[in-house]
Amino acid sequence: MVRRSRDDAVATRGRIVASAQLLMRQRGVHCVTLEDVARAIGMTRGAVYAHFRSRAALMDALLSCAEADLAERLAPLARHHAGAAPDVLEPALAALLDGDGMARHVSLLAFLLQHKCGADCELCPLRARVLRGVDMLRDTLAATMPAPALAGLLVAHLWGLLSAHALQLAPSGLSGCAASLARLYAPPGMQRGACPDAAGGAAFPRDTP
């Protein structure tokens, strides 16, 4: 009986998180309350509060989902030592851009990054976690890029593509952009540590996705 109750609680928590993700994607984070989430899955507000004491607590769970998704998609890339396998960059980019996986987290991440701190703030620790995740993504990508200094630009490029997809301004098949991105940031023949510039050196192809 205890085991079943725990399983039921985990399943209910998962329904709440999935409902919140869908509503926030459709309406934006600002427009979604715990009451909205409860109504969408036929629960009372009190039942939702039994699992999440506040909206910030729900956002904490949603951010954990985003972190788990990112870690899973970067796992093959993270296993390689710096500079050992630049050819893993393209499949890693394809994994990040594949389907709805990461795009479904965009509205939450944008909300937390734009957060303005107030008194007794519960969101600032979440914003700090997002920033640490950005640093981790940049460092992981940089480890296999010929020009590691461009990893921040690649992260910005990825964010733009995912945001466009989340806003339905880009197709769901963004993983098809991975090959072009890989050639753009790790062009064939470019030596690790080289940074292209206008004066000379390796030039990036003009096939930006």
Side-chain angles (χ1 to χ4, degrees), residues 6 32 57 73 118 127 179 206:
R6 289 177 179 171
V32 177
R73 290 162 192 273
R127 183 177 188 275
R206 299 180 180 275

Side-chain angles (χ1 to χ4, degrees), residues 124-145:
C124 282
L126 302 185
R127 183 177 188 275
R129 277 169 57 187
V130 174
L131 292 174
R132 287 196 297 272
V134 172
D135 288 340
M136 183 270 288
L137 175 59
R138 184 186 62 243
D139 293 344
T140 303
L141 292 173
T144 56
M145 292 175 62

Side-chain angles (χ1 to χ4, degrees), residues 17 23-25 37 69 73 76 96 104 108 112 114 123 126-127 149-150 154 158 167 178 180 184 190:
V17 169
L23 289 176
M24 289 180 180
R25 176 111 185 241
V37 174
D69 273 357
R73 290 162 192 273
L96 288 170
R104 66 190 171 125
L108 173 71
L112 292 173
Q114 295 166 10
L123 296 181
L126 302 185
R127 183 177 188 275
L150 294 178
L154 176 54
L158 287 168
L167 293 170
S180 295
L184 188 65
M190 185 176 180

